[in-house]
Structures are given as C-alpha cells and as structure tokens.
Amino acid sequence: MQSIPILKLGSFLLVSVQIDLDDSSALGLQESLAARIAETHAAGVLIDISALEIVDSFIGRMLATIAATSRVLDARTVVVGMRPAVAITMVELGLNLDGVHTALDTERGLELLRALTELPTDASAKQQTDPAEDGAAVR
C-alpha cells in the first residue's frame, strides 16, 4: 500500500492523489485523513483526483465515505480535477456522492471550501442576533 500525502494549508487539508488508487490505498487514505482532521481541527478537505484515469464503484463509494467521515468531524470536502471520463463512469455506475462538493480545479475548490466554511464576522453576527441595538445607536 502506498501512502498518500496529506498537506496542511491554513485551516484546510490538501490531498493530491497521484497514484492509481487501489482499495487498500483508499482505505488507508480514509483512516489517515480522519486522523489528520481530528489532529489539526481542519475546517475543510480538498481532494485532487486529476491524476486518476479510472474510478470504479469502490473508489467512488470511498470518496463519499471520506466526505461523510469528514462531515462528522466538522470538516467539509471538495473533490477537484475530475476528468470527464471519470464523471461519466460515476454517473453510469449510479454512484451518488452525497455530501461531496466538486469543483473543476484547485483554485475553484479552495474558493468553494472558503465559502462552505465561512464563519460570520463579529459585526454581521451582531446584526443577525440583535438588530434593535443598531437602531438605538443611531438615535
């Protein structure tokens, strides 16, 4: 089994799958990623699968499982770089990637992760919780 590096980038974890993902490697990635999310308190995970030419039903289910595990650990998941042939295969296999957000490339994926994990600022949170106080300040 080859291990897949998991890099920390701010409050996100970056996984770039550069090998053919076999069942053993996918299971190892799932365990390692869950441990890293818990260890780093990551808010999001970006998984780049642009090097994958083939995704079978097991690997497709593993992506959904990784996203579900991340969500339970309070992190969002975005998969980027999916090739058209891989997307077609996943649809033909009837794979449902519940909870998995996708983006075309890393840049768009990071933007999506930021949007998914954005916390309200102190000012906007105050407006949402106590709008009457703002009116009192104007008088």
Side-chain angles (χ1 to χ4, degrees):
M1 174 181 86
Q2 291 183 315
S3 69
I4 299 169
I6 301 170
L7 307 173
K8 187 170 183 327
L9 181 66
S11 59
F12 303 137
L13 296 177
L14 177 62
V15 178
S16 182
V17 180
Q18 297 295 315
I19 60 170
D20 285 331
L21 203 54
D22 59 25
D23 296 358
S24 176
S25 298
L27 289 170
L29 174 61
Q30 179 186 9
E31 291 177 17
S32 299
L33 192 54
R36 287 283 296 192
I37 292 169
E39 172 189 311
T40 63
H41 305 283
V45 176
L46 187 128
I47 302 174
D48 179 3
I49 62 168
S50 59
L52 296 182
E53 295 184 20
I54 298 172
V55 171
D56 61 16
S57 61
F58 179 79
I59 300 302
R61 283 194 311 271
M62 286 305 301
L63 290 173
T65 301
I66 287 171
T69 302
S70 299
R71 198 170 43 253
V72 169
L73 294 171
D74 199 24
R76 302 298 171 255
T77 302
V78 174
V79 175
V80 301
M82 189 178 303
R83 293 177 180 212
V86 169
I88 291 168
T89 300
M90 292 179 90
V91 170
E92 287 176 350
L93 291 172
L95 295 175
N96 188 355
L97 299 179
D98 285 336
V100 178
H101 298 276
T102 59
L104 290 177
D105 55 38
T106 304
E107 185 175 348
R108 290 180 183 184
L110 284 172
E111 288 176 16
L112 180 56
L113 264 182
R114 286 185 190 106
L116 291 170
T117 59
E118 187 173 310
L119 298 174
T121 63
D122 288 343
S124 65
K126 187 175 181 178
Q127 285 179 334
Q128 291 175 356
T129 58
D130 191 9
E133 189 174 306
D134 288 340
V138 174
R139 293 182 199 158

